[in-house]
Amino acid sequence: MILIFSQHRFYRHLVIELAEAEVTLTGKPKNPLTFIDPTDMIWKTENQEELKFYTGIAKFRNNYDAGKSESDLEGLKALAKNPLGLDVYLHDDKVSTNITATSIKPGKLKVLKVDLTLNVDEEGDFLNSRPD
């Protein structure tokens, strides 16, 4: 199984697909890619991290919503953990509008650590903030 990140053809929203493919001797997926409904996989696991992972994929599988919600962020966090250790690919729609073995490129999925410090200075009736 592999995880494929792409953009919706018309709306340009994030779309995430779960697929199966045989691999070449060099480890690259080859056609045909068989897309898997992540909700079918939910019934095959008892592991909570895997359940969240599959649910996150399902949330972005047919994504038509331009808005961002807290559940979107939680879904992305569950995906970033990648509890199954799946290889991640990015779809290049310049190669083909369809997701095929030739139109996907290897990618990396990780959570970036954010280190932010905020200083607040009181000047009379005003508070001024500045990042460090």
Side-chain angles (χ1 to χ4, degrees):
M1 283 195 302
I2 60 174
L3 198 57
I4 303 171
F5 286 73
S6 65
Q7 287 184 326
H8 189 277
R9 185 181 297 178
F10 304 113
Y11 304 112
R12 311 308 290 166
H13 301 148
L14 174 65
V15 175
I16 302 171
E17 294 279 358
L18 187 62
E20 277 185 325
E22 291 188 27
V23 293
T24 64
L25 294 175
T26 59
K28 295 180 182 181
K30 61 182 182 178
N31 289 321
L33 299 178
T34 305
F35 293 95
I36 301 167
D37 185 345
T39 57
D40 291 341
M41 301 304 290
I42 290 171
W43 303 109
K44 296 180 180 181
T45 184
E46 297 291 327
N47 182 304
Q48 184 176 357
E49 294 299 315
E50 290 177 12
L51 289 170
K52 289 181 179 183
F53 178 74
Y54 290 131
T55 304
I57 296 170
K59 181 156 187 58
F60 290 97
R61 185 169 187 226
N62 295 310
N63 186 20
Y64 298 100
D65 187 13
K68 297 173 184 151
S69 68
E70 188 173 327
S71 67
D72 289 346
L73 182 58
E74 293 302 317
L76 290 172
K77 286 179 183 178
L79 283 165
K81 289 181 182 177
N82 195 3
L84 301 173
L86 299 180
D87 289 335
V88 176
Y89 291 87
L90 306 172
H91 174 238
D92 184 355
D93 61 357
K94 292 178 184 88
V95 174
S96 173
T97 55
N98 297 322
I99 298 175
T100 64
T102 55
S103 70
I104 59 175
K105 298 179 180 175
K108 290 187 179 184
L109 182 62
K110 64 181 178 178
V111 177
L112 299 175
K113 301 286 184 197
V114 177
D115 184 21
L116 177 68
T117 304
L118 183 65
N119 290 317
V120 179
D121 298 322
E122 185 176 355
E123 294 180 11
D125 292 340
F126 299 98
L127 297 176
N128 295 321
S129 63
R130 58 183 160 72
D132 242 2

